[in-house]
Amino acid sequence: LGLLYQEYRDKSTRQEIETRRLQDSQTDPEESSPSEEAPSEAEPASTTESKAPPQISLLRNSNSRFNLWQDLPEIRSSGVLSILQPDEIKLQEAMFELVTSEASYYKSLNLLVSHFMENERLKKILHQSEAHILFSNVLDVMAVSERFLLDLEQRVEENIVISDVCDIVYQHTVNHFSVYITYVSNQTYQERAYKQLLQDKPAFREVISQLELDPKCKGLSFSSFLILPFQRITRLKLLVQNILKKVEEKSDRETTALDAHKELETVVKACNEGVRKMSRTEQMISIQKKLEFKIKSVPIISHSRWLLKQGELQQMNGPKTSRTLRTKKLFREIYLFLFNDLLVICRQIPGDKYQVFDSAPRGLLRVEELEDQGQSLANVFILRLLENADDREASYMLKASSQSEMKRWMISLAPNRRTKFVSFTSRLVDCPQIQCVHPYVAQQPDELSLELADVLNILDKTDDGWIFGERLHDQERGWFPSSMGEEILNPKIRAQNLKECFRVHKSDDSQRRKLGSRSRQ
């Protein structure tokens, strides 16, 4: 097995991007061949390789390279490619990728443990508590991956044509994948501990640098190994989605794929919530300490509250009729803390503190954009509090530093306000789409982190280079720079992406309809 998971994943997603680019440039999405559509992770297999069953040579021979299922010598010599339909070949490729990528992932996990965690020099430097925070329950995660991989191997050994893998994914997700939630929930403390160790312990820094230089690591950083479990559980869900898009509708394989996807989605959401819960609690405590109330105090810390956006805006002074006056003195700085259920309006005071002078429930906020008001009133919008801290309606005329910042505030303050382009969940026939070609890490709470090959619907965009998008595979929304992606111009490809998305999430839609029916009753 020649590729570490980081390399495997990078090759796979970049191939996915190139495949979509090719499809986007064609009139008919079906014009691309099966070999173009399936991700190719490595060089073609050597014809001099052992003629043992392909799953054994791939998963146990440390010198082999990953390849397309249909390019394996064993598959080509069997004659099965002349019997199978093109759609079935695509499905075989999708299932084969899930198996081979798990093997690559297991190899990387094994390197994290044997090369880093069990290094004798590192053991002497780290206290037991430090090692526990840094590596968490990675041994449990590796044991689960090994058991999962063995079951996948056994299935591949049963027949040269893979019958199914999603039933195995389902069983392991339900019975074993909770170890991922434990590992990922520790991520905030893990990152902090790693930074602290690098800063406080020169010996630790030196050993890690030396271990990273070892050819085994192929130039990859220690931190890229630590984040493997979170990347894998997310990617596994996408691999099952890819299988689900290719199985025949209303078949047993579709049922198992839907079941596996639903369980994986539950685990991924629990992982995300675990990470958010840790960081949100600390963030809320920090904000609480900075606030001083000029009005009646509002308790900020709540287990169900988190920060959506914070920042400075310019508030216009005087009555609304004076807005035609063109002078900078009309505006003064205010600072907003917007939570998922509450808006707090403040003025910054000395000592990194904020004096609260108004507040309102988020559900009682309305926004209105001002247009064609001249340069001095560009990027100005009206914020209305239907019921503020004094139990009365209040209006604020606010000026943002840019068009994108104004739109970001307006969408955050009033999330149900109609955007420029409607979400795909409205079953719109066509909607602008973009695919991510550069990864992006969110810098603000209202931004969306992007992975290579993510496909998103464009809900809104600004003239200064920002897009508000909704990712198709999980419906997560947020802002990101438009330079991170390439717009999908072919309407047939956009329609195909939406159709596949509806199919993946149809079990979720069915469940929502059932719940809605019960609530109406």
Side-chain angles (χ1 to χ4, degrees):
L1 192 150
L3 295 173
L4 292 176
Y5 184 66
Q6 297 95 315
E7 300 173 293
Y8 190 113
R9 188 168 172 269
D10 186 59
K11 284 176 179 287
S12 176
T13 50
R14 291 193 182 282
Q15 180 66 29
E16 197 175 333
I17 289 169
E18 290 306 318
T19 299
R20 203 171 283 124
R21 281 173 175 162
L22 178 65
Q23 291 175 333
D24 198 25
S25 66
Q26 294 172 340
T27 306
D28 187 346
E30 296 301 320
E31 286 179 22
S32 60
S33 70
S35 63
E36 289 170 333
E37 184 145 331
S40 171
E41 269 78 30
E43 299 83 359
S46 167
T47 53
T48 60
E49 280 184 24
S50 166
K51 292 297 178 180
Q55 66 281 359
I56 300 299
S57 62
L58 280 171
L59 302 186
R60 296 182 187 173
N61 179 358
S62 62
N63 295 318
S64 68
R65 295 285 187 190
F66 287 148
N67 189 25
L68 290 173
W69 174 82
Q70 62 189 298
D71 288 339
L72 292 168
E74 294 84 350
I75 300 299
R76 288 200 173 279
S77 63
S78 71
V80 73
L81 293 175
S82 62
I83 302 170
L84 296 178
Q85 294 295 317
D87 286 347
E88 179 63 30
I89 293 174
K90 291 177 185 178
L91 176 58
Q92 290 295 311
E93 297 290 6
M95 293 191 288
F96 186 65
E97 184 188 3
L98 189 146
V99 179
T100 53
S101 63
E102 187 65 29
S104 178
Y105 167 64
Y106 177 74
K107 176 181 179 177
S108 290
L109 277 183
N110 194 38
L111 190 59
L112 171 61
V113 171
S114 62
H115 187 60
F116 290 99
M117 182 178 173
E118 294 178 350
N119 180 269
E120 291 302 325
R121 288 177 63 196
L122 208 55
K123 282 183 178 180
K124 291 176 182 176
I125 293 167
L126 294 175
H127 296 143
Q128 191 173 353
S129 60
E130 292 171 332
H132 178 69
I133 294 173
L134 201 57
F135 295 103
S136 189
N137 64 327
V138 70
L139 291 176
D140 295 336
V141 173
M142 190 168 77
V144 163
S145 174
E146 182 177 22
R147 193 183 301 126
F148 182 41
L149 181 57
L150 286 171
D151 283 354
L152 291 171
E153 281 189 84
Q154 186 176 348
R155 175 60 57 81
V156 176
E157 286 174 357
E158 290 173 1
N159 197 311
I160 198 166
V161 177
I162 306 167
S163 59
D164 197 2
V165 293
C166 288
D167 56 330
I168 297 172
V169 175
Y170 173 81
Q171 291 296 334
H172 281 262
T173 305
V174 170
N175 297 318
H176 307 299
F177 282 7
S178 60
V179 297
Y180 281 96
I181 301 171
T182 304
Y183 186 93
V184 175
S185 296
N186 184 54
Q187 189 176 316
T188 302
Y189 299 123
Q190 184 187 63
E191 289 174 355
R192 184 183 304 153
Y194 180 49
K195 288 177 183 176
Q196 201 68 42
L197 286 166
L198 288 174
Q199 182 179 321
D200 297 345
K201 292 192 173 184
F204 172 81
R205 189 167 61 244
E206 182 185 345
V207 171
I208 290 294
S209 297
Q210 289 175 357
L211 292 174
E212 287 176 335
L213 290 172
D214 191 295
K216 292 178 189 173
C217 295
K218 300 188 177 182
L220 296 164
S221 68
F222 174 53
S223 57
S224 78
F225 286 90
L226 288 178
I227 203 171
L228 282 170
F230 183 52
Q231 290 179 332
R232 180 56 184 170
I233 196 67
T234 307
R235 183 67 180 168
L236 198 56
K237 187 187 84 165
L238 297 180
L239 291 171
V240 170
Q241 281 189 9
N242 195 34
I243 293 170
L244 182 53
K245 294 169 187 175
K246 294 172 172 57
V247 294
E248 55 275 27
E249 293 195 43
K250 299 181 181 178
S251 64
D252 289 343
R253 290 197 292 195
E254 183 188 51
T255 301
T256 58
L258 283 168
D259 289 343
H261 180 266
K262 183 180 177 183
E263 293 302 325
L264 279 169
E265 188 129 65
T266 301
V267 172
V268 171
K269 283 180 179 176
C271 287
N272 286 328
E273 278 306 305
V275 173
R276 289 169 181 162
K277 189 175 180 180
M278 297 291 186
S279 57
R280 283 171 177 172
T281 301
E282 295 184 348
Q283 187 179 47
M284 296 301 288
I285 292 171
S286 174
I287 292 172
Q288 174 81 63
K289 290 177 180 176
K290 293 179 179 181
L291 298 183
E292 294 182 2
F293 284 84
K294 188 177 179 181
I295 56 172
K296 183 181 177 182
S297 180
V298 178
I300 295 297
I301 298 174
S302 165
H303 71 278
S304 60
R305 178 173 294 153
W306 60 88
L307 183 72
L308 294 179
K309 189 171 179 61
Q310 69 179 82
E312 187 177 88
L313 291 168
Q314 304 287 318
Q315 180 199 354
M316 181 174 179
N317 292 315
K320 192 172 181 179
T321 52
S322 67
R323 69 185 186 187
T324 53
L325 298 177
R326 302 177 184 277
T327 167
K328 290 184 179 179
K329 292 179 182 178
L330 280 173
F331 297 95
R332 61 182 298 187
E333 293 80 12
I334 63 169
Y335 202 93
L336 272 57
F337 289 96
L338 178 65
F339 305 99
N340 61 308
D341 62 346
L342 177 71
L343 172 68
V344 175
I345 306 176
C346 323
R347 288 194 176 89
Q348 193 163 6
I349 56 178
D352 194 26
K353 298 275 189 179
Y354 299 88
Q355 187 179 68
V356 181
F357 65 87
D358 210 349
S359 66
R362 186 175 176 228
L364 297 179
L365 303 178
R366 301 292 183 268
V367 293
E368 173 193 345
E369 185 177 352
L370 295 181
E371 297 179 358
D372 302 322
Q373 297 294 325
Q375 187 59 40
S376 65
L377 291 176
N379 308 319
V380 172
F381 66 97
I382 303 293
L383 169 63
R384 286 197 299 128
L385 283 55
L386 300 184
E387 187 177 301
N388 73 348
D390 296 327
D391 298 325
R392 60 182 178 81
E393 184 173 328
S395 291
Y396 294 90
M397 185 178 291
L398 303 174
K399 181 178 175 69
S401 58
S402 64
Q403 186 196 41
S404 59
E405 190 64 11
M406 178 189 71
K407 284 201 171 188
R408 286 169 67 165
W409 270 112
M410 291 178 72
I411 286 175
S412 295
L413 288 162
N416 294 325
R417 180 178 171 270
R418 184 183 176 88
T419 54
K420 186 175 182 180
F421 306 108
V422 182
S423 161
F424 84 88
T425 50
S426 67
R427 300 301 189 262
L428 194 67
V429 175
D430 196 14
C431 177
Q433 289 177 6
I434 191 168
Q435 77 159 330
C436 171
V437 296
H438 303 290
Y440 181 68
V441 178
Q443 306 297 310
Q444 299 290 336
D446 66 335
E447 293 179 10
L448 185 64
S449 291
L450 301 178
E451 298 282 354
L452 284 172
D454 278 351
V455 176
L456 305 99
N457 272 341
I458 299 172
L459 304 185
D460 212 332
K461 58 169 65 173
T462 68
D463 297 335
D464 54 351
W466 284 84
I467 287 174
F468 183 58
E470 182 175 63
R471 189 162 44 218
L472 264 60
H473 77 72
D474 60 6
Q475 285 94 65
E476 288 285 325
R477 292 181 173 192
W479 290 91
F480 55 91
S482 57
S483 57
M484 296 298 108
E486 294 175 352
E487 198 158 337
I488 298 172
L489 302 176
N490 191 325
K492 289 188 177 181
I493 298 300
R494 293 197 297 268
Q496 179 179 298
N497 290 338
L498 289 182
K499 182 181 177 182
E500 290 173 348
C501 189
F502 297 154
R503 186 178 179 191
V504 166
H505 293 285
K506 71 179 180 182
S507 61
D508 300 339
D509 293 342
S510 166
Q511 188 66 22
R512 278 194 291 268
R513 282 195 295 272
K514 285 179 186 175
L515 291 173
S517 173
R518 284 179 200 155
S519 64
R520 284 192 297 273
Q521 290 169 2

